[in-house]
Amino acid sequence: MRSMVLKIWLAVLVAVVAGCPLMSGVRAEAQLPVVAAWIVPQVAQGTDADRIASLEKKLAEQQVAVAAAQTSGDNSWMLTSAALVLLMTGPGLALFYGGLVRKKNVLSVMMQSFAMMAVVTVLWALVTYSLAFGTGNAFIGGLHNMFLRGVGLEPSAYAPTIPLQTFMIYQLMFAIITPALITGAFAERVKFSAMLVFMVLWTIVVYSPMAHMVWGVGGLLNAATGKFPCLDFAGGTVVHVTSGVSALVMALYVGKRAGYPKTPMAPHSVVLSFIGACLLWFGWFGFNAGSALAAGTLATSAFVATHFGAAAAAIGWTAAEWIRNGKPSALGAISGAVAGLVAITPASGFVTPMGALAIGLIAGVVCFFMVVKVKVWFGYDDSLDAFGVHGAGGTLGAILTGIFAKSTIYPIFGVGKATGLLEGNGHQVLNQAVGVAIAWALAIVGTLLLLVIVDRTIGLRVSAEEEEAGLDLSLHGEEGYEWSH
Amino acid sequence: MRSMVLKIWLAVLVAVVAGCPLMSGVRAEAQLPVVAAWIVPQVAQGTDADRIASLEKKLAEQQVAVAAAQTSGDNSWMLTSAALVLLMTGPGLALFYGGLVRKKNVLSVMMQSFAMMAVVTVLWALVTYSLAFGTGNAFIGGLHNMFLRGVGLEPSAYAPTIPLQTFMIYQLMFAIITPALITGAFAERVKFSAMLVFMVLWTIVVYSPMAHMVWGVGGLLNAATGKFPCLDFAGGTVVHVTSGVSALVMALYVGKRAGYPKTPMAPHSVVLSFIGACLLWFGWFGFNAGSALAAGTLATSAFVATHFGAAAAAIGWTAAEWIRNGKPSALGAISGAVAGLVAITPASGFVTPMGALAIGLIAGVVCFFMVVKVKVWFGYDDSLDAFGVHGAGGTLGAILTGIFAKSTIYPIFGVGKATGLLEGNGHQVLNQAVGVAIAWALAIVGTLLLLVIVDRTIGLRVSAEEEEAGLDLSLHGEEGYEWSH
Amino acid sequence: MRSMVLKIWLAVLVAVVAGCPLMSGVRAEAQLPVVAAWIVPQVAQGTDADRIASLEKKLAEQQVAVAAAQTSGDNSWMLTSAALVLLMTGPGLALFYGGLVRKKNVLSVMMQSFAMMAVVTVLWALVTYSLAFGTGNAFIGGLHNMFLRGVGLEPSAYAPTIPLQTFMIYQLMFAIITPALITGAFAERVKFSAMLVFMVLWTIVVYSPMAHMVWGVGGLLNAATGKFPCLDFAGGTVVHVTSGVSALVMALYVGKRAGYPKTPMAPHSVVLSFIGACLLWFGWFGFNAGSALAAGTLATSAFVATHFGAAAAAIGWTAAEWIRNGKPSALGAISGAVAGLVAITPASGFVTPMGALAIGLIAGVVCFFMVVKVKVWFGYDDSLDAFGVHGAGGTLGAILTGIFAKSTIYPIFGVGKATGLLEGNGHQVLNQAVGVAIAWALAIVGTLLLLVIVDRTIGLRVSAEEEEAGLDLSLHGEEGYEWSH
Amino acid sequence: MQKIEAVIQPSKLEAVKDALVEIGVQGMTITEARGHGRQKGHTEFYRGREYSVDLLPKVKLETVVSDDLLDKTVQAIITAARTGTIGDGKIFVTKIDDAIRIRNDERGELAL
Amino acid sequence: MQKIEAVIQPSKLEAVKDALVEIGVQGMTITEARGHGRQKGHTEFYRGREYSVDLLPKVKLETVVSDDLLDKTVQAIITAARTGTIGDGKIFVTKIDDAIRIRNDERGELAL
Amino acid sequence: MQKIEAVIQPSKLEAVKDALVEIGVQGMTITEARGHGRQKGHTEFYRGREYSVDLLPKVKLETVVSDDLLDKTVQAIITAARTGTIGDGKIFVTKIDDAIRIRNDERGELAL
Ligand SMILES: Nc1ncnc2c1ncn2[C@@H]1O[C@H](COP(=O)(O)OP(=O)(O)O)[C@@H](O)[C@H]1O
Ligand SMILES: Nc1ncnc2c1ncn2[C@@H]1O[C@H](COP(=O)(O)OP(=O)(O)O)[C@@H](O)[C@H]1O
Ligand SMILES: Nc1ncnc2c1ncn2[C@@H]1O[C@H](COP(=O)(O)OP(=O)(O)O)[C@@H](O)[C@H]1O
């Protein structure tokens, strides 16, 4: 074997070296403009009128070409962003959550996130895209776009330089991760079937209207045109407040896991959660910077804010933990980063890099106390802290956005017009509060209603035996890790 | 320690807050066009003729600039796509497969995928790129491009707006994953050395000609110019049918794993497979949407179709499993998603979003029965269902493409010309069948031939002891997981 | 349950099929230029003069539009690249390193990488960006850009087509991974607090000046303008030599792990390392191709070189190992790939594809012997071979760059001007040597100095008991894997 | 001295441990185990293939006690580990001839 | 009652389990183990460092049976576990003084 | 024949194994275990929740030796396993009635 490998390898080496000279043939010409060839020799000919006419024609053609080039650049970033946001749910969130539960429930948790990737997608195509972004009233969209009717490849009012379907698929990824975030609250004890039905209804009843109000044409909270212009660049209220608050309601309604808090339920693999958290951070660039719906300076600004917010929050949480518990934990650091990403989400397109650092630091510390102290005080069992991180972080971020937003970054109210409190527009904080309040109200009422319905019909909770045996076995008939070989 | 941390942290906080005001200096001007500065003051001067001449000159220069901008946008997406497709093989496929085998073979399986990333790359540079995409006859390319001679950075006939090398590296990623897919069929029992030699030959004898026939200039099945125009947007026949069918032949030739099916061989970690499946889904966006070779509307359309196909198939498989076994499994859901991605691959650039949903649903159910029933009937040991998923899914997808293809999405036969059966071009289904038939034939004959050769020379199968001990230990001298610490 | 699922599923199927026809409404028009609508009817009107004037005006506007389109394309790729480089550190490097240590230290190692993501980011915003890229002298930048003052969204001299903040955040990702690489040298035995302080100082004292000298305006080694023009496309000296050499110094200073080399310390999970290595490869495309700071042909060329270098090195290392130990290991293959990626880093923008193959092959074999033989000879405990791979590979790559660099790929010294030795510019090898020498000197002196300081104040090493118990428990109060459930 | 080996439900480990500490039995050693008995297993499906799992997760707890503590200990374990359903497990008792504390060579009951 | 402890090859676990059930020995407890003996280990290489592994994966199976079942059980295990190659493992037999079924206090052979 | 069960610190496994081989005791079986005793545990924090871990990682080593080798073996283990700090572990000795080598039916001391 060895000698044979040696021979093969030498052969390859020779081939390569032999190949090098041959390569001299490759003239790359990185420097010459790629299309130098195209330039038509500009010999002046014909009357001025002719030449002008031909110029006008060429210019018109080029206008089209320029628009196409602009689309390619922006669409390239938006498709990348859409993929990144999907990655946040699977495997990102699935791992983050999966690592935090006990071995016997790891697949059940990952399966819940994965189910959202499948079910919410079909639902979106059938009806929810239309409800969220179709033209309708101030609260919800119409049904004209059901089955994606009329959702084609031309640009749209939502994003002038990318195909409407790019916008549609990008927004879908948000609709997927939002319910997936909620699953953290009732992990390890709820029926898969009940979860499915609940989430389908929740997406229709809570997510769609909220998305429409904040981002939809004519939405009540639409920052540009709404009655209460609420700044939410990438979903602080739409995604995190709704999911976080619904998670809280869910945790209270469903009740604690058997044995909680007496029985220890330490994460079965912080390593998995670590991977998940890093993928969340990575994907979040698509989530926030992608929300610029183009690849220009605004995307850059949001990208920077996102990264700074995450980093500062990781420091904030870890420092708080270090001081309080005497040791900085990896779980703390990643939880902090996620909290920062949540808090910076609504602000990402409006704040300066230093503003992002401030928001992150605050969010890291606040969420730490929400999770470590507040949860214990109230004593509910939000298994994976969906509320402590997303509900609290989202609410905090939405308010802070009203404080730190700068017109120099994104003059959404007009160039030079004061945007946030620090710029002198105190009123904005109120508008932010309105947005948050509506999100809370909608989430509480909607979730409670749906919970009662689902509980009465299918029943939410698994049996004590099933919970004891673990959901992987009892609901899915499989195990995350095989012991025997 | 604590107090120190506290101090440091306060210091940072102060620094940041202090920094904020200073930041007011940063005028981001996201709104002003980035390059406002460039605009040359347009004071009219000189005679009309002069002005016209200068205009013509400027216009010509701008033509070059526009082309460069177009290239940046498209190239940006294509480089991203190339990276994504590599991610599909490693770690995507490596994890998907690695999780399905027993602990003692996990590295051997991952190593096989990784080896393809290395070996097929060098092979591609030396000869197979030339065989696949060099100008040649209807069946295979010539040798002019050996050592990538003449494969430079200018755009090419294959893709007018991106450097030829971008096209080359992008296609390489397809050549890498295709043989890697086959490895699922003979996992846990084949020699690494034999596998290497076989795959090198297979890439030359089976993959290169197939790729040339379908995508190469003057290829027999080339959709635009071929004798039997076969629609295969991203590799349903070239990648999935060839690999899936070769996998079947391989499984039959190599024989079952010791103890199969009596001994239980449950996946050692569905968690790993889950991560892998999600990364496959993520990378598949590059695989399909990247096949537009640009970042325009076609890429968007393929992106949407890909996502919808995966989601619908996950539902299809899971539903079928739920009904048949009484429980929906995570392994089922991810297997379904992969099956859907396979089936949508050839169709992705030709079908509407709803068409993609239909294809996905069908593929999910069909592949479920292929894997669960058919395999059992025939009783061969396709360890990781490379055939059941890729062979069956690819064949199904290729045919369905002939049915659902729409000229409104991609008028490959001319604007308004009927493309698929639903548009009235029944003949296309036949052409698709021809493509599939050729892929099957080539795969069966080529694989059998090579198997005999490799078996006679090196020998395919490991010894019973080696198989018993596990390939990680016996072939690679290492273990996937260390127990002792 | 089953029947219910069946019903639901049928419902969906019906809905979808029903939806298909409705879709016929979607006219995608992928073919018509996206913005056909925009074209203003070109009815000739007014005098020639008027028409010329309007043309001039339109042209000027379009010039701006073209620049914006160019920015979108390039910025799209650069934001993607920035995200990819962050992914290299977390989870990439964290997993690669985490898998190589013992279970009881896995989190401590991952935590070190994650800490860099957080701490170096804030530090960058406060001061190090300014020190690295602010205008200053030949050795280090000034403080004008502290708190990112003046770092806005306009393009800059560093990159004419992307916002300066994109450049800033992209470079930050390099500043994050560099210290993270060092952590491999002292894994499993150093205090987290000491590590933090050391890395903060190291980033200021070693990284910032080195980055400034090689890439900063007026830097001593700046390839375009420096006194000793040193070719380092993506950080061979700045990132890998500095980190690798510092790692060596660190390993020697800190001393061996308790029990090394007698006690076996096999990787606790090569599977984790495998995932990490694949993510490193994936992210490295952003690292090298992103260093073109645009999405043009140079990016493509660097992308290809990167991939080829990794593949060839994986083959080189594996072959050497196969010959020497009789078995090719997965750990060997991935280590080889990483070594190749390191070695190709400085060369990636300057060499042909075949040149990249040659560099990779050489690097794979050389680093194998560095790690397998040399380390044993000297007997230091570079736990995870940060020096053997990054120090050695980086140095080797820097020199080879001086040999293989081609003006046909990147005429950095002027079109047609000989760049590397093979082109006849022997002098360049000397310049490369100078760059390497400075990097070595700076790393050795700086690291030693800081080590002494930190050791005297905080103390570097954990107690014997803490080391025995494992750093996860003793420093972070958590465990990577929970055994009990 | 007597060695008490108890095979119990994993979920009962905490309770049993506390019960033992309660009655002053500090020392014990635990190992993860799989059990087969009257308790029926379950079936799992992977890609449609059916696996009937009849080796169920159990925890094995061993503690060596002085003869006089035997009954008390056994009783404590039974009370803490019982759920009343099949699968609760067993307790086995054996004589131990000698015990040594590695730290300081103490022998016999002193070593417990 | 006798306790039979068998250290066997992991690959033989299924066979042995079935063989025992065959002869009516339902109850057994399994633990994963590592064994050292005459069977020689193997070497692994990580980054060129050589590790000689001489603790090989084994499975330990324990079953307590009534005295009359002893020989039959031992024989069943031997037949099922034997491959004839070094490393097949050992069987050890000890007396058990008492057995209790946690579920219902049944004692002695009744509890098995 | 005597069965020696030693519960030791995981970090001492290599040393103990070598010590036994040294004195000619080839055969041994190891299982991972968790121990509770005088050695105090530690606390872990996950999201601020405190977990006090009092089941610490140990390794259980079993070896069956002929009566004459007993003391020598015990002594070897003690010397190799001792660190002198609480938690070093215990050694328990029991009589074994019979031993069989599965490979070839050898019985009694022959089988060891
Ligand atoms: N004869 C035996 N020898 C060793 N272990 C036994 C024996 N019988 C039962 N066990 C252990 O006790 C566990 C519970 O026994 P089982 O018969 O299932 O329930 P129950 O103890 O309630 O009768 C089994 O899983 C097995 O681990
Ligand atoms: N004296 C012993 N005490 C405890 N376990 C033993 C003893 N001798 C052997 N074993 C166990 O039996 C296994 C097989 O023994 P070995 O000598 O390797 O082969 P064989 O049983 O065929 O002689 C060992 O790996 C070990 O787990
Ligand atoms: N009575 C006992 N029965 C079984 N195992 C015991 C007993 N006492 C101690 N052990 C085991 O020995 C280990 C060490 O005992 P411990 O009291 O902590 O320290 P030391 O042996 O130094 O007194 C424990 O963790 C446990 O695994």
Side-chain angles (χ1 to χ4, degrees), chain A residues 76-229:
Chain A
S76 167
W77 172 240
M78 290 314 297
L79 292 181
T80 304
S81 294
L84 285 172
V85 181
L86 181 68
L87 187 76
M88 287 173 70
T89 305
L93 188 67
L95 284 170
F96 186 58
Y97 277 175
L100 293 177
V101 296
R102 289 164 291 177
K103 265 198 205 66
K104 61 183 181 183
N105 295 315
V106 58
L107 291 182
S108 73
V109 166
M110 298 176 96
M111 178 69 162
Q112 290 176 336
S113 288
F114 199 80
M116 294 303 104
M117 290 165 63
V119 173
V120 174
T121 296
V122 174
L123 194 66
W124 193 249
L126 300 183
V127 58
T128 42
Y129 170 78
S130 189
L131 291 177
F133 293 98
T135 41
N137 55 36
F139 300 95
I140 192 156
L143 297 175
H144 330 64
N145 297 124
M146 274 181 68
F147 302 108
L148 299 180
R149 221 190 287 88
V151 181
L153 295 166
E154 317 75 17
S156 72
Y158 281 116
T161 63
I162 58 172
L164 178 53
Q165 280 192 15
T166 298
F167 175 78
M168 180 277 293
I169 199 78
Y170 178 67
Q171 288 298 340
L172 163 58
M173 304 313 184
F174 284 61
I176 287 172
I177 195 167
T178 310
L181 290 169
I182 304 177
T183 62
F186 53 76
E188 308 195 281
R189 56 195 187 280
V190 163
K191 284 185 195 163
F192 181 66
S193 54
M195 186 280 300
L196 274 184
V197 176
F198 173 83
M199 289 305 183
V200 166
L201 298 173
W202 190 88
T203 305
I204 296 172
V205 177
V206 177
Y207 186 80
S208 301
M210 195 64 208
H212 186 77
M213 282 188 262
V214 177
W215 294 325
V217 277
L220 182 73
L221 303 167
N222 190 301
T225 66
K227 195 146 177 323
F228 302 95

Side-chain angles (χ1 to χ4, degrees), chain C residues 179 251 296 372 427:
Chain C
V372 171
H427 191 67

Side-chain angles (χ1 to χ4, degrees), chain B residues 121-141:
Chain B
T121 296
V122 174
L123 194 65
W124 192 250
L126 301 182
V127 58
T128 42
Y129 170 78
S130 189
L131 290 176
F133 293 98
T135 42
N137 56 36
F139 300 95
I140 191 156

Side-chain angles (χ1 to χ4, degrees), chain D residues 2 5 8 32-38 54 60 78 82 84-86 88-95, chain E residues 3 13 17 21 26-31 62 64 95-103 105 107 111-112:
Chain D
Q2 303 290 331
E5 269 183 286
I8 61 174
E32 292 181 84
R34 293 267 158 176
H36 185 279
R38 302 189 186 173
D54 55 3
K60 189 168 130 192
I78 292 177
R82 177 178 295 174
T85 58
I86 297 184
D88 277 356
K90 311 265 188 271
I91 298 174
F92 301 114
V93 181
T94 346
K95 209 175 123 309
Chain E
K3 176 197 209 183
L13 174 56
K17 185 188 72 193
V21 173
Q26 275 282 336
M28 62 192 88
T29 301
I30 279 83
T31 46
E62 294 169 81
V64 177
K95 211 175 122 305
I96 287 287
D97 303 329
D98 197 1
I100 305 105
R101 187 190 307 279
I102 292 173
R103 173 158 47 95
D105 286 337
R107 288 194 163 242
L112 304 184

Side-chain angles (χ1 to χ4, degrees), chain C residues 40-241:
Chain C
V40 262
Q42 295 293 336
V43 194
Q45 54 207 354
T47 69
D48 286 1
D50 301 345
R51 294 168 67 185
I52 294 174
S54 97
L55 272 170
E56 288 169 333
K57 193 162 150 308
K58 283 220 198 70
L59 197 64
E61 291 162 3
Q62 227 178 80
Q63 209 164 18
V64 178
V66 173
Q70 181 69 52
T71 293
S72 282
D74 292 337
N75 204 34
S76 167
W77 172 240
M78 290 314 298
L79 292 181
T80 304
S81 295
L84 285 173
V85 181
L86 181 68
L87 187 76
M88 288 173 69
T89 304
L93 188 67
L95 284 169
F96 186 59
Y97 278 176
L100 294 177
V101 296
R102 289 164 290 177
K103 264 197 204 68
K104 62 182 178 182
N105 296 315
V106 58
L107 292 181
S108 73
V109 166
M110 299 176 96
M111 178 69 163
Q112 290 176 338
S113 288
F114 199 80
M116 294 304 104
M117 291 165 63
V119 173
V120 174
T121 296
V122 174
L123 193 66
W124 192 250
L126 301 183
V127 58
T128 44
Y129 169 78
S130 189
L131 291 177
F133 293 99
T135 41
N137 57 35
F139 301 95
I140 191 154
L143 297 175
H144 331 63
N145 297 125
M146 274 182 67
F147 302 109
L148 298 181
R149 220 190 287 86
V151 181
L153 296 166
E154 318 74 21
S156 72
Y158 281 117
T161 63
I162 57 172
L164 178 53
Q165 280 192 14
T166 298
F167 175 79
M168 179 277 293
I169 199 79
Y170 178 68
Q171 288 298 339
L172 162 57
M173 303 312 185
F174 284 62
I176 287 172
I177 196 167
T178 309
L181 289 169
I182 304 177
T183 62
F186 53 76
E188 309 195 280
R189 58 196 186 280
V190 163
K191 284 185 195 163
F192 181 66
S193 54
M195 187 278 302
L196 274 183
V197 176
F198 172 83
M199 289 305 184
V200 166
L201 297 173
W202 190 89
T203 305
I204 296 172
V205 177
V206 178
Y207 186 80
S208 301
M210 196 63 208
H212 186 77
M213 282 188 262
V214 177
W215 294 326
V217 278
L220 182 72
L221 304 167
N222 190 300
T225 65
K227 196 149 179 320
F228 302 96
C230 169
L231 301 178
D232 186 355
F233 193 71
T237 51
V238 180
V239 174
H240 299 290
V241 173

Side-chain angles (χ1 to χ4, degrees), chain D residues 2-4 25-30 61-66 99-104 106 109-112, chain F residues 6-9 33-40 54-59 83-92:
Chain D
Q2 303 290 331
K3 176 196 207 184
I4 301 168
V25 176
Q26 275 282 334
M28 64 193 86
T29 301
I30 278 83
L61 181 147
E62 294 169 79
T63 177
V64 177
V65 297
S66 53
I100 304 104
R101 186 190 308 279
I102 291 173
R103 172 158 49 93
N104 57 12
E106 284 181 311
E109 306 215 340
L110 265 181
L112 302 183
Chain F
V7 180
I8 60 173
Q9 296 283 22
R34 293 266 158 175
H36 185 280
R38 302 189 187 173
Q39 180 184 11
K40 53 180 266 308
D54 54 3
L55 289 174
L56 306 170
K58 301 285 167 186
V59 162
T83 70
T85 58
I86 295 184
D88 277 356
K90 311 264 189 271
I91 298 175
F92 302 113

